[in-house]
Amino acid sequence: MKIVAARLIVCSPDRNFVTLRIDTDEGIYGLGDATLNGRELAVVAYLEEHIIPCLIGRDPFATEDIWQYLYRGAYWRRGPVTMTAIAAVDVALWDIKGKALKTPVYNLLGGKSRQGALVYAHANGSDIPSAIDSVKKHIAEGYQAIRVQCGVPGVLSSYGVPKGDKPYEPAERGLPSESVWSTEKYLNFVPKLFEALRIEIGEDIHLLHDVHHRLTPIEAARLGRSLEPYHLFWLEDPTPAENQEAFRLIRQHTVIPIATGEVFNSFWDAHDLVRNQWIDYLRMTIVHGGGITALKKAADFAAVYQVRTGFHGATDLSPVTMAAALHLGMAIHNFGIQEHMPHSPLTDDVFPHAYRFEEGYMHPGDAPGLGVDLDESLAAQYPYQRAYLPVARTLDGTLTDW
Ligand code: KDG
Ligand code: MG
């Protein structure tokens, strides 16, 4: 079998998605997600100008060799644009392999290790009562694990909380909006949120929280310690992770489980975190971390240190990535949990898929390959629209981590 063509489909069914389609001489094609939120067209250019010409004529089964060719062969290693482009190729090739062998991708990665993938939903509210309502709504839908984000009194537009009555969506069309941040108000407020939640919903549901990289290590340690009575499933991105050593300090002060890695694009971003057991969950994602080939190795390395996976799964990761994450999550032994932020009904129509949610778990389905398709004529009705993630400033106007 040979690769005969590859092209990008860029569309915006409620939000932007970049999808790579690779075609073979046997009529089988594969899809890979190439969406890098807010920097979408950089990946399109990387693939169209620099990668696709090198793919034509290659054996699509050679996922390892093609990965190495694109990674080592470029000389310039790593970086989100490069690794997203490599991931798109890699995932499309695994899809082709599964379709050609007439089996779901999870069978090529070790077979099923579990019945389903535990997922966590996003609950949010502008204040504590509305956050509690949102959690109860998700419990009624069957979720057993729920991330909770809440408006902080005195802080305009907190992370993870929608501005209107539409579901929360991080990217906004137009130029970047600006939000305001106060560490002190946040640190004083969050324990009250989780105290109220445990009183209202009891002990059984897993609760998670995303700090979104906004604290210093010692502030994060204070937060972790103050949340210990509410036994969170995890505290996510407590501090930026470029300096992996920062997590040592957090670990010295609190036993709260720590998750990080959604912005990592190489396992080297996580190497010290994992081998020192400074984290409990690795959130690297298939689309930004180099694809199934790279994430399988990252997960296996993490398994040696009893670190489990918690793959990123926000709406900016397309249904192709959701499917890839579920296939890999079904197969590896150290799967922890999968983020599930449902796509809009329109996005789901553009990307018909075999995966499904049932009673707190997701199932990748048993279709050959990844089990996701792309309705190109529907996608064509929703062209790309420039969109960005917001930026954040502290109360005195200093730009800070969003
Ligand atoms: O593109 C950025 C989003 O995916 C990110 O802000 C979502 O932090 C996030 C999460 O945990 O889903
Ligand atoms: Mg996050």
Side-chain angles (χ1 to χ4, degrees), residues 155-204:
V155 178
L156 275 177
S157 64
S158 300
Y159 164 74
V161 181
K163 285 180 188 149
D165 51 6
K166 287 201 174 141
Y168 173 68
E169 163 56 51
E172 293 163 10
R173 287 173 175 165
L175 294 177
S177 67
E178 302 216 348
S179 56
V180 180
W181 175 249
S182 159
T183 295
E184 273 315 310
K185 291 186 196 309
Y186 172 80
L187 284 178
N188 290 334
F189 174 74
V190 178
K192 293 179 192 145
L193 168 67
F194 283 92
E195 181 186 20
L197 277 162
R198 280 296 177 214
I199 289 168
E200 274 291 325
I201 64 159
E203 303 290 325
D204 290 344

Side-chain angles (χ1 to χ4, degrees), residues 21 26 38 98 103 126 140 168 170 175 191 219 227-228 246 254 290 317 356 385:
R21 171 176 160 144
E26 293 186 16
T103 192
S126 53
Y168 173 68
L175 294 177
E219 290 163 353
L227 292 176
E228 282 174 13
T254 175
L317 284 63
R356 62 186 196 283
Q385 298 195 28

Side-chain angles (χ1 to χ4, degrees), residues 147 159 210 212 236-237 262 283:
R147 179 188 104 155
Y159 164 74
D210 190 352
H212 222 253
E236 179 183 336
D237 289 335
E262 68 181 40
R283 279 189 43 74

